Amino acid sequence: AAHAPPASAFHASLARLPLSTSSPSSFSSLSTPLSPIATRKHAPATRPSAPSMNLAISLPAVSAAVASIAPAMAPLPYAAVAILPSCLGLYKSDYGVSYGYGLGMILPGLLTLPHCVTPIAKLHALLYIAYGVRLNLFLLYREMNITSMRAIKEKIEERVKARGGRLQRLPFIAMCGFLYFAMAAPLHLTATARALPPAAVGFLALGWLGFAAAAIGDAQKTLAKVGQPNKLVRSGLYSVCRHPNFTGEAFLWTSSALVGILTAIATGTLTAVLGWVALSAVGASGMSYVLCKAASGLESRQRDKYGDEPGYEEWIESTWAGVTLPPSK
């Protein structure tokens, strides 16, 4: 089988993921607009009025406009901005797990940013925004400039259309939307906390490192395959880790969930915000499984295609596979 580009392997794995939309047993904390972290009695922060900007729209201005629909961080608007982007899959099936995925991270980040109490919480929200923007720009570049990528997307769309009409995609779209909502749940645990514990700050730094590894890995492989689509990339990050894009992203989302959970523990509100904690765990574990499955599938296809090349076995022995599933017996 031909080697698929990184995102196409991810899309294929996500399409096979047996997700469940059943929620944890108790989400009482989701019914209130603010977690107890945010409802502590303190004077509301006042912000000096900013000078008018006639020629540019700043990120805070965009974020404030988006957040105006949910001034109290109510769960419903957050669910909407995470879930609705997956409906792009009704237009083109892969858009729900590509551009919809990116938007499903950007919008919750923008919605959270104005409510962040600390600079660390703002960095947490900015991580989601940065990830979504980077992913969508990367996908757009590939779609516009790489012929083989467009051919793969067209084949995927043809197979999906052969299975039935657009409405038959709704269960899968709903599962993707739920996953995106769960992945954004850690933002609720950190945004209004008066302080984040040192361990949470450390995991946030690890999340940004994972973001950088995924971005560099995607860019390096894409550029290396321009004009050489069948080339096995073994330089740069790939000389250390065979799947830095998948591995970096898994570190990102796992770290983000731990940032939120550790903050809830440190502030003594774990029981009160148990719904958001459970969602954070579901989101991180669900996406990590998708990424592990994608990396494992790519590992197998690379062995089939490049296993006889000189230096392949040495490369395997000297590098880390990254996040992969145990080989099936």
Side-chain angles (χ1 to χ4, degrees):
H3 164 56
S8 61
F10 160 69
H11 299 159
S13 297
L14 187 54
R16 295 191 295 269
L17 178 63
L19 291 175
S20 169
T21 56
S22 59
S23 59
S25 59
S26 174
F27 284 92
S28 58
S29 61
L30 300 185
S31 62
T32 56
L34 278 173
S35 71
I37 301 175
T39 54
R40 293 174 181 168
K41 296 180 179 180
H42 59 274
T46 58
R47 299 181 180 179
S49 58
S52 60
M53 299 178 65
N54 297 323
L55 301 178
I57 300 176
S58 65
L59 178 60
V62 173
S63 179
V66 176
S68 64
I69 68 173
M73 293 187 68
L76 186 57
Y78 274 83
V81 298
I83 293 171
L84 287 178
S86 65
C87 293
L88 288 173
L90 291 172
Y91 172 60
K92 286 190 177 181
S93 58
D94 73 293
Y95 278 13
V97 293
S98 57
Y99 298 112
Y101 176 27
L103 283 172
M105 300 299 104
I106 293 171
L107 295 178
L110 287 172
L111 209 57
T112 302
L113 197 58
H115 305 294
C116 292
V117 174
T118 65
I120 300 299
K122 290 181 180 179
L123 283 174
H124 194 197
L126 286 170
L127 178 58
Y128 282 70
I129 298 169
Y131 175 81
V133 170
R134 195 283 304 178
L135 176 65
N136 281 0
L137 289 176
F138 169 68
L139 293 170
L140 183 62
Y141 170 82
R142 289 201 321 176
E143 187 170 359
M144 294 179 65
N145 295 281
I146 301 178
T147 305
S148 61
M149 189 66 234
R150 290 197 297 272
I152 290 173
K153 290 165 71 70
E154 289 170 2
K155 288 181 180 178
I156 293 173
E157 191 66 19
E158 289 172 2
R159 287 199 300 266
V160 172
K161 287 181 179 179
R163 296 173 189 164
R166 284 183 166 84
L167 292 180
Q168 293 187 353
R169 306 175 193 175
L170 285 176
F172 176 68
I173 288 171
M175 289 189 291
C176 290
F178 174 77
L179 179 61
Y180 303 159
F181 177 47
M183 291 170 66
L187 295 176
H188 290 261
L189 300 171
T190 59
T192 53
R194 305 303 298 176
L196 276 68
V201 176
F203 277 112
L204 181 58
L206 183 61
W208 275 101
L209 287 175
F211 165 80
I216 294 171
D218 275 343
Q220 184 186 343
K221 176 172 280 192
T222 299
L223 293 175
K225 287 181 173 290
V226 172
Q228 302 180 74
N230 293 318
K231 177 182 179 180
L232 175 63
V233 182
R234 292 188 244 173
S235 59
L237 289 182
Y238 292 85
S239 65
V240 178
C241 177
R242 298 196 290 279
H243 309 290
N245 44 359
F246 296 128
T247 301
E249 189 173 342
F251 273 50
L252 189 167
W253 300 126
T254 302
S255 297
S256 176
L258 289 172
V259 170
I261 293 170
L262 289 172
T263 299
I265 294 172
T267 54
T269 60
L270 180 62
T271 302
V273 294
L274 192 58
W276 292 116
V277 169
L279 274 175
S280 299
V282 168
S285 58
M287 183 50 69
S288 293
Y289 174 79
V290 171
L291 294 164
C292 288
K293 194 171 180 64
S296 299
L298 183 55
E299 183 84 351
S300 177
R301 292 192 299 276
Q302 285 183 165
R303 178 171 288 280
D304 292 340
K305 186 172 184 177
Y306 304 108
D308 294 331
E309 283 191 2
Y312 177 82
E313 289 299 333
E314 289 78 5
W315 178 61
I316 292 293
E317 293 174 1
S318 63
T319 55
W320 178 42
V323 292
T324 55
L325 297 175
S328 57
K329 296 182 181 179

